Amino acid sequence: MAEPTDSDSSSLLRVSTPFKPGSGSYSDSLAGGRGTILFDDLVKEGKVWQENERAKRSPSMVELVLGCMDDKWEAHADKHLRSIPALYPFIESAGAGKMNEEQFAAVISAVALTLDKEVDIQYVQSGSTPMYPRAKGQKHPEDPEAENRSKCLKPDFFTSKIRQGCLPGSHSAILGPKFKPESNPNPTRRKSNRVRKPRGLHPNPPDPLLRNDGAFCWEDVQVLWEIKSREIAGINKRVEWGSLILKATEVMQYQWYRKFVLGFLVCGTDIRLFRIDRSCVLVSRSIGLDSSEKPIPTLIRCILASLVLPQTALGFPRDDFLRVVYKGDEPRLVVLAYGIELELGKQLSFPPRDKLITRGTTAHIAKQDESKGTEYCFKSSWPYRARKHEGEVLNTLQEVSGVVKLHGWDTPPDEPCLSVKWLCDKVKFVPLPQREGFSASATPMERSVSGDSVGDALSPVTDLREHRLVVTEYIPMSFIKGRTLAPLQLLRAWQGLYHTVDGIMEKNWVHRDLSWSNVRLRIVNSECSAVLIDFDLASETVGQESGAPDRTGTPAFMPLEVLDPDNVRKFRHQELHEDEMVFWVGLFTLTSCSDTNIKTLQDRLLSPELSFTAIYYAKQTIPTLTDTNWRRRFPAPPKGKTSDWDLIRTTCRKLANLHFHTINPEGYDWNYSQWDNPKELHKELLKGVDRVFDDAISRLR
């Protein structure tokens, strides 16, 4: 991509948007297309591991999962499930398209009818109904309208916890709109607020297989089942694998407490089991539907296990950590964090879509005691175990002015049942090769958590994550909301942010992810101050490295050295990188003070479609502008603020000169990691920043 010049456009942030595969029409982003892209990325990263097909003597992953059933269910299977007549028509109908699902539904019904009424898990068939998240108001913003239902994701079959005979009983069901127990908790896609009773669900269903009519959402899914027609090598097709992994990713996006998801892929007369979590994907070897080490066919035992396995064997937390309580008819979700019960309310943030290997960070408003009314921010994430707990980092920085107040942190106990380490001790897994055919002869990728190469072949246990909780004060206003404040308030908050970052660095830490969402604004008696939150990616500036690569953060606010496509040197994030990110946070906030300008920012810097290279070329022209060009190309002021805008424009230009010229008068070199004295330059920069802000604030008073 060519570097833009001053004459390219009148916009300060003008840059062309690069094409991204799969981002054109929505047809490119169906379950197959989106799933294939996700699957290929996972394979490239060495995150898909397959059970060694040649190790026939060792126990298979399927048998290990089935072995987690209680003995009474094994006895039940031996007594009631030795012969299921519906199984053989299903095997014979493999490849018959829709008939395949109907025959499978008959097998499910035959198995489920043998169970006692005490089982509160049931199978649900999606049919033509798309699946939506309840937490986001039934439909994801990227999904098409209701008339294009066939283009939405939905599992063929899934299991779900049921209450009162027909309603979902998942934990996160309470985070959606209020509903009466006998009504549909997720009204179908209508603009009316009227609650409609779901069709196809009855208080006493005549058949143990329910049909989804909008009542069930991604939050309700327990075990996924995909039923495909018979094809040559169909059980090994990457499009089928990718589709199942994509749907499991959707489940984990909205079930923040879930450790892993189990999914079964049935293709023709073969079956594979997938164990999917935020660290890797483990895939069993292919097994025949009617084969088994026991008299009961494998498919029948898998259908039974999906109904009766303990919740911890399905990736759910223990009941003492997460539970639903009822206040009258209104359900509430209660979590146990650092020995204190917190009642969760509105969910504030969600993990990225179509991304499996992430920290899965979510945040909720929480209360300890509703009568007191104090609101906290309850944060859940799944970082690598090698990283220091965010709660420990915050505890170290509590004396620094401008750091969010910490109330507590915790790490829920890790259940060993079906953990990656437990499975790898018993089953031999090999990494999937980067080609369409699947075999067990691939060479594993040589990379570590920090991005450095390692000498030995990796195993799936290399990059394991753990569940971590942090509870802090809740500050609702983000820094971008500061564009509605008076210029004096915003400039003071921006200056305070420089000093907060300096205080953190005095403690030998750097934040590494400064952005609008991670800088909040606290207003007390008309005094505005910046508060820094989210220390998930924080790293120490001395001693051993944190274990995460330094090319990290929110792209639009990253330092130019991090974004530079020609920079292949290894470097460590330090003081001047933090200073530059503070500059971008403040500059882009002031730039967005009018609706036109913020639209420009969203198109040129904040769009998820933009690459690092595109953002780099958009930003690197800013520090090289002359005084004349700075005034000509700086976005127009918002209405009614022209008198203050000239001063704000001058302040931003002076800060840009400090960052990119004054501290390095020989030229515009932002490769700070190559400099000999970054700490001294940081202190000089801070003094210059204070002079600029003090001058501007004195003129605004």
Side-chain angles (χ1 to χ4, degrees):
M1 181 181 296
E3 178 181 344
T5 61
D6 286 352
S7 60
D8 286 339
S9 171
S10 60
S11 172
L12 173 68
L13 304 170
R14 179 71 62 189
V15 64
S16 59
T17 303
F19 174 75
K20 181 179 179 182
S23 63
S25 64
Y26 192 86
S27 61
D28 296 328
S29 299
L30 303 182
R34 287 164 52 196
T36 301
I37 293 173
L38 172 63
F39 177 74
D40 289 345
D41 289 341
L42 292 173
V43 172
K44 289 177 183 177
E45 296 172 7
K47 299 297 186 181
V48 183
W49 294 76
Q50 180 184 358
E51 186 179 343
N52 194 337
E53 299 279 358
R54 301 169 186 168
K56 298 295 185 181
R57 295 183 179 179
S58 62
S60 68
M61 187 170 76
V62 173
E63 286 299 327
L64 291 174
V65 170
L66 296 178
C68 294
M69 285 193 295
D70 191 273
D71 290 342
K72 75 172 185 177
W73 298 117
E74 290 286 4
H76 173 88
D78 188 63
K79 181 178 180 181
H80 299 285
L81 302 178
R82 281 179 174 266
S83 176
I84 300 292
L87 173 63
Y88 302 102
F90 167 67
I91 295 177
E92 293 174 1
S93 71
K98 193 171 183 180
M99 177 63 70
N100 205 25
E101 286 194 20
E102 295 179 4
Q103 295 290 354
F104 184 71
V107 178
I108 288 176
S109 299
V111 173
L113 285 172
T114 66
L115 298 177
D116 298 332
K117 295 181 180 180
E118 63 189 52
V119 177
D120 60 351
I121 309 295
Q122 273 189 265
Y123 274 91
V124 183
Q125 184 176 7
S126 294
S128 60
T129 303
M131 188 76 79
Y132 296 112
R134 183 177 294 110
K136 280 197 171 184
Q138 309 160 26
K139 191 174 71 168
H140 195 281
E142 297 172 12
D143 281 333
E145 296 301 324
E147 57 265 22
N148 295 325
R149 292 182 183 183
S150 61
K151 295 185 177 181
C152 296
L153 287 179
K154 57 183 177 63
D156 293 337
F157 295 85
F158 60 92
T159 59
S160 179
K161 182 172 287 190
I162 305 297
R163 60 189 182 87
Q164 297 188 0
C166 63
L167 293 174
S170 65
H171 289 139
S172 53
I174 65 160
L175 299 181
K178 294 182 180 180
F179 60 92
K180 296 181 180 180
E182 67 273 9
S183 301
N184 184 359
N186 180 30
T188 51
R189 295 151 297 284
R190 290 186 172 187
K191 294 183 179 180
S192 172
N193 293 325
R194 182 169 56 91
V195 176
R196 186 171 66 89
K197 192 170 182 178
R199 300 187 307 271
L201 299 181
H202 308 281
N204 299 302
D207 190 277
L209 175 65
L210 300 178
R211 290 186 179 273
N212 187 19
D213 189 36
F216 294 90
C217 299
W218 288 113
E219 291 92 330
D220 306 316
V221 175
Q222 294 210 350
V223 179
L224 291 165
W225 282 83
E226 290 294 299
I227 313 301
K228 304 301 176 185
S229 301
R230 184 203 307 270
E231 293 182 25
I232 299 176
I235 196 70
N236 292 335
K237 290 184 65 175
R238 69 173 185 165
V239 65
E240 308 297 357
W241 290 35
S243 176
L244 179 58
I245 295 172
L246 178 67
K247 293 168 186 177
T249 302
E250 203 83 350
V251 171
M252 299 189 74
Q253 182 185 15
Y254 300 108
Q255 297 186 21
W256 53 268
Y257 43 81
R258 190 86 176 260
K259 182 179 179 181
F260 61 86
V261 174
L262 295 180
F264 290 94
L265 174 62
V266 179
C267 189
T269 57
D270 295 313
I271 184 172
R272 282 190 188 271
L273 170 64
F274 290 69
R275 183 203 178 276
I276 303 158
D277 68 13
R278 298 173 180 87
S279 300
C280 63
V281 178
L282 300 182
V283 186
S284 76
R285 60 176 178 250
S286 178
I287 299 176
L289 297 182
D290 56 353
S291 65
S292 179
E293 298 175 3
K294 298 188 177 183
I296 301 94
T298 298
L299 177 63
I300 300 300
R301 297 178 66 214
C302 291
I303 293 174
L304 175 65
S306 299
L307 295 170
V308 301
L309 275 174
Q311 291 292 284
T312 53
L314 299 179
F316 289 95
R318 300 187 313 191
D319 291 339
D320 59 352
F321 164 69
L322 188 71
R323 60 191 180 90
V324 177
V325 298
Y326 285 86
K327 294 187 175 180
D329 290 337
E330 187 175 356
R332 305 287 181 88
L333 187 63
V334 175
V335 296
L336 183 67
Y338 60 94
I340 297 177
E341 286 193 340
L342 295 172
E343 192 175 283
L344 300 190
K346 179 181 178 182
Q347 188 166 347
L348 303 172
S349 64
F350 297 83
R353 201 181 193 195
D354 294 358
K355 298 291 183 182
L356 178 63
I357 309 300
T358 67
R359 299 192 307 276
T361 303
T362 59
H364 293 79
I365 297 176
K367 291 183 179 181
Q368 182 178 349
D369 188 346
E370 188 174 2
S371 61
K372 295 181 180 179
T374 303
E375 293 184 332
Y376 303 97
C377 178
F378 172 84
K379 179 181 175 182
S380 163
S381 62
W382 296 80
Y384 290 119
R385 290 179 178 176
R387 292 190 53 76
K388 183 170 286 190
H389 199 299
E390 182 185 3
E392 296 182 54
V393 179
L394 282 171
N395 191 48
T396 304
L397 302 175
Q398 284 300 284
E399 297 178 358
V400 178
S401 176
V403 172
V404 66
K405 183 179 179 181
L406 175 69
H407 291 284
W409 74 94
D410 200 358
T411 302
D414 190 12
E415 291 292 330
C417 183
L418 296 185
S419 67
V420 173
K421 187 177 185 306
W422 184 82
L423 287 170
C424 288
D425 287 341
K426 301 177 182 298
V427 179
K428 175 66 175 177
F429 290 96
V430 292
L432 208 63
Q434 295 187 45
R435 59 178 183 270
E436 193 158 341
F438 300 144
S439 69
S441 59
T443 301
M445 295 181 62
E446 295 185 351
R447 52 175 293 281
S448 66
V449 178
S450 62
D452 302 328
S453 61
V454 292
D456 299 329
L458 294 179
S459 72
V461 301
T462 304
D463 293 350
L464 294 185
R465 299 173 181 267
E466 70 177 3
H467 195 192
R468 293 177 178 177
L469 310 175
V470 176
V471 181
T472 63
E473 63 175 317
Y474 173 54
I475 306 174
M477 180 178 285
S478 63
F479 203 83
I480 182 57
K481 300 296 184 182
R483 66 195 185 102
T484 62
L485 300 176
L488 180 62
Q489 291 178 304
L490 188 54
L491 289 180
R492 281 178 171 168
W494 192 5
Q495 182 182 16
L497 183 58
Y498 275 97
H499 285 274
T500 297
V501 168
D502 178 63
I504 293 171
M505 289 185 287
E506 290 290 338
K507 297 282 189 178
N508 297 319
W509 283 89
V510 285
H511 186 278
R512 302 199 306 173
D513 191 19
L514 293 170
S515 65
W516 281 340
S517 59
N518 289 341
V519 181
R520 319 300 286 186
L521 290 175
R522 181 193 287 129
I523 300 179
V524 179
N525 298 328
S526 74
E527 291 293 327
C528 183
S529 60
V531 180
L532 199 51
I533 66 171
D534 193 359
F535 285 75
D536 251 353
L537 298 178
S539 173
E540 291 183 276
T541 57
V542 296
Q544 186 178 1
E545 294 189 32
S546 67
D550 279 73
R551 297 181 187 275
T552 189
T554 305
F557 305 96
M558 283 182 179
L560 290 171
E561 181 179 11
V562 178
L563 295 170
D564 189 351
D566 298 325
N567 184 10
V568 294
R569 297 185 299 268
K570 181 181 177 182
F571 67 96
R572 190 166 185 175
H573 201 99
Q574 37 89 347
E575 292 86 346
L576 292 172
H577 294 115
E578 296 283 285
D579 294 330
E580 186 183 335
M581 284 195 292
V582 174
F583 169 73
W584 295 122
V585 168
L587 175 67
F588 293 155
T589 301
L590 290 168
T591 303
S592 64
C593 282
S594 71
D595 294 337
T596 302
N597 296 340
I598 195 170
K599 179 65 167 62
T600 302
L601 278 173
Q602 291 170 344
D603 293 342
R604 310 304 177 191
L605 285 173
L606 303 176
S607 172
E609 306 296 332
L610 291 171
S611 65
F612 278 21
T613 302
I615 296 174
Y616 171 77
Y617 284 137
K619 291 172 63 174
Q620 73 157 346
T621 60
I622 296 175
T624 60
L625 294 176
T626 63
D627 290 352
T628 302
N629 284 336
W630 182 276
R631 183 178 182 84
R632 176 171 60 85
R633 297 184 60 194
F634 199 88
K639 293 181 180 179
K641 295 185 179 181
T642 307
S643 59
D644 297 333
W645 198 252
D646 287 338
L647 178 59
I648 291 174
R649 193 200 318 266
T650 302
T651 301
C652 292
R653 178 179 55 80
K654 289 180 178 179
L655 289 174
N657 285 336
L658 276 173
H659 277 277
F660 304 106
H661 181 68
T662 305
I663 62 173
N664 184 30
E666 297 181 0
Y668 298 100
D669 180 11
W670 37 75
N671 293 324
Y672 310 126
S673 57
Q674 304 300 308
W675 295 7
D676 296 329
N677 54 345
K679 290 185 180 294
E680 291 79 1
L681 289 173
H682 159 70
K683 290 299 183 182
E684 289 184 23
L685 174 67
L686 190 61
K687 292 177 183 178
V689 166
D690 282 337
R691 286 194 295 269
V692 171
F693 277 114
D694 291 343
D695 178 63
I697 290 173
S698 65
R699 296 188 183 192
L700 286 172
R701 285 175 176 170

